[in-house]
Coordinates of all heavy atoms in Angstrom, one line a residue:
L1 N 2.9 -27.6 -22.2 CA 3.1 -29.1 -22.3 C 3.3 -29.5 -23.7 O 2.8 -28.9 -24.6 CB 1.8 -29.8 -21.8 CG 1.4 -29.4 -20.3 CD1 0.1 -30.2 -20.0 CD2 2.4 -29.8 -19.3
K2 N 4.2 -30.5 -23.9 CA 4.4 -31.0 -25.2 C 3.3 -32.1 -25.5 O 2.5 -32.4 -24.6 CB 5.8 -31.7 -25.2 CG 6.9 -30.6 -25.1 CD 8.3 -31.2 -25.3 CE 8.7 -32.1 -24.1 NZ 10.1 -32.6 -24.2
A3 N 3.3 -32.6 -26.7 CA 2.3 -33.5 -27.1 C 2.2 -34.8 -26.3 O 1.2 -35.5 -26.3 CB 2.4 -33.8 -28.6
D4 N 3.3 -35.1 -25.6 CA 3.3 -36.3 -24.8 C 3.0 -36.0 -23.3 O 3.0 -36.9 -22.5 CB 4.6 -37.1 -24.9 CG 5.8 -36.2 -24.4 OD1 5.6 -35.0 -24.0 OD2 7.0 -36.7 -24.4
G5 N 2.6 -34.8 -23.0 CA 2.2 -34.4 -21.7 C 3.4 -34.0 -20.8 O 3.1 -33.6 -19.6
T6 N 4.6 -34.0 -21.3 CA 5.8 -33.6 -20.5 C 5.9 -32.1 -20.6 O 5.4 -31.4 -21.5 CB 7.1 -34.3 -20.9 OG1 7.3 -34.0 -22.3 CG2 7.0 -35.8 -20.7
D7 N 6.6 -31.5 -19.6 CA 6.8 -30.0 -19.6 C 7.8 -29.6 -20.7 O 8.8 -30.2 -20.9 CB 7.3 -29.6 -18.2 CG 6.3 -29.8 -17.1 OD1 5.2 -29.3 -17.3 OD2 6.6 -30.5 -16.1
A8 N 7.5 -28.5 -21.3 CA 8.4 -27.9 -22.3 C 9.3 -27.0 -21.6 O 8.9 -26.1 -20.9 CB 7.6 -27.1 -23.4
M9 N 10.6 -27.2 -21.8 CA 11.6 -26.4 -21.1 C 11.5 -24.9 -21.4 O 11.9 -24.1 -20.6 CB 13.0 -26.9 -21.4 CG 13.3 -28.4 -21.0 SD 13.1 -28.6 -19.3 CE 14.5 -27.8 -18.6
E10 N 11.0 -24.6 -22.6 CA 10.9 -23.2 -23.0 C 9.9 -22.4 -22.1 O 9.7 -21.2 -22.3 CB 10.5 -23.1 -24.5 CG 11.5 -23.6 -25.4 CD 11.5 -25.2 -25.5 OE1 10.6 -25.8 -25.0 OE2 12.4 -25.7 -26.2
S11 N 9.2 -23.1 -21.2 CA 8.2 -22.4 -20.4 C 8.9 -21.4 -19.5 O 8.3 -20.4 -19.1 CB 7.4 -23.4 -19.5 OG 6.8 -24.3 -20.3
R12 N 10.1 -21.6 -19.1 CA 10.9 -20.7 -18.2 C 12.3 -20.6 -18.8 O 13.0 -21.6 -19.0 CB 11.0 -21.2 -16.8 CG 9.7 -21.5 -16.0 CD 9.3 -22.9 -16.2 NE 10.3 -23.9 -15.8 CZ 10.5 -24.3 -14.6 NH1 9.8 -23.9 -13.6 NH2 11.5 -25.2 -14.4
R13 N 12.7 -19.4 -19.1 CA 14.0 -19.2 -19.7 C 14.7 -18.0 -19.0 O 14.1 -17.0 -18.6 CB 14.0 -19.0 -21.2 CG 13.8 -20.3 -22.0 CD 13.8 -20.0 -23.4 NE 12.7 -19.2 -23.9 CZ 12.5 -18.7 -25.1 NH1 13.5 -18.8 -26.0 NH2 11.5 -18.0 -25.4
G14 N 16.0 -18.1 -19.0 CA 16.9 -16.9 -18.6 C 17.4 -16.2 -19.8 O 17.4 -16.7 -20.9
L15 N 17.8 -15.0 -19.6 CA 18.4 -14.2 -20.7 C 19.6 -14.9 -21.2 O 20.5 -15.3 -20.5 CB 18.7 -12.8 -20.2 CG 17.5 -11.9 -20.0 CD1 18.0 -10.6 -19.3 CD2 16.8 -11.5 -21.3
P16 N 19.8 -15.0 -22.6 CA 21.0 -15.6 -23.1 C 22.2 -14.6 -23.1 O 22.7 -14.2 -24.1 CB 20.6 -15.9 -24.5 CG 19.6 -14.9 -24.9 CD 18.8 -14.6 -23.6
T17 N 22.7 -14.3 -21.9 CA 23.9 -13.5 -21.8 C 25.0 -14.3 -22.4 O 24.9 -15.5 -22.7 CB 24.2 -13.3 -20.3 OG1 24.5 -14.5 -19.7 CG2 23.1 -12.6 -19.6
P18 N 26.1 -13.7 -22.7 CA 27.2 -14.4 -23.3 C 27.6 -15.7 -22.6 O 27.8 -16.8 -23.2 CB 28.4 -13.4 -23.3 CG 27.7 -12.1 -23.5 CD 26.4 -12.2 -22.7
M19 N 27.7 -15.7 -21.3 CA 28.1 -16.9 -20.5 C 26.9 -17.9 -20.5 O 27.2 -19.1 -20.6 CB 28.5 -16.5 -19.1 CG 29.8 -15.8 -19.0 SD 31.2 -16.6 -19.9 CE 31.2 -18.2 -19.1
T20 N 25.7 -17.4 -20.3 CA 24.6 -18.3 -20.3 C 24.4 -19.0 -21.7 O 24.2 -20.3 -21.8 CB 23.3 -17.6 -20.0 OG1 23.3 -17.0 -18.7 CG2 22.0 -18.5 -20.1
A21 N 24.6 -18.3 -22.8 CA 24.6 -18.9 -24.1 C 25.7 -19.9 -24.3 O 25.6 -20.9 -24.9 CB 24.7 -17.8 -25.2
F22 N 26.9 -19.5 -23.7 CA 28.1 -20.4 -23.8 C 27.8 -21.8 -23.1 O 28.0 -22.8 -23.7 CB 29.3 -19.8 -23.2 CG 30.5 -20.7 -23.1 CD1 31.2 -21.1 -24.2 CD2 30.8 -21.3 -21.9 CE1 32.3 -21.9 -24.1 CE2 31.9 -22.1 -21.8 CZ 32.6 -22.5 -22.9
Y23 N 27.2 -21.7 -21.9 CA 26.9 -22.9 -21.2 C 25.9 -23.8 -21.9 O 25.9 -25.0 -21.9 CB 26.4 -22.6 -19.8 CG 27.3 -21.9 -18.9 CD1 26.9 -20.9 -18.0 CD2 28.7 -22.2 -18.9 CE1 27.8 -20.2 -17.2 CE2 29.6 -21.6 -18.1 CZ 29.2 -20.6 -17.2 OH 30.1 -20.0 -16.4
K24 N 24.9 -23.1 -22.6 CA 23.9 -23.8 -23.4 C 24.6 -24.5 -24.6 O 24.3 -25.7 -24.9 CB 22.8 -22.8 -23.9 CG 21.8 -23.4 -24.9 CD 20.9 -24.5 -24.2 CE 19.7 -24.8 -25.0 NZ 20.1 -25.4 -26.3

């Protein structure tokens, strides 16, 4: 959780394959 109580997106991540990194 972040300091405001919302969920931190970094809690679940996929591997930064070339295409996944490109989409990000």
Side-chain angles (χ1 to χ4, degrees):
L1 303 178
K2 295 185 288 186
D4 62 357
T6 58
D7 293 307
M9 299 300 290
E10 294 80 9
S11 301
R12 301 94 50 87
R13 282 184 292 170
L15 288 169
T17 63
M19 289 310 300
T20 298
F22 171 76
Y23 296 144
K24 172 68 166 62

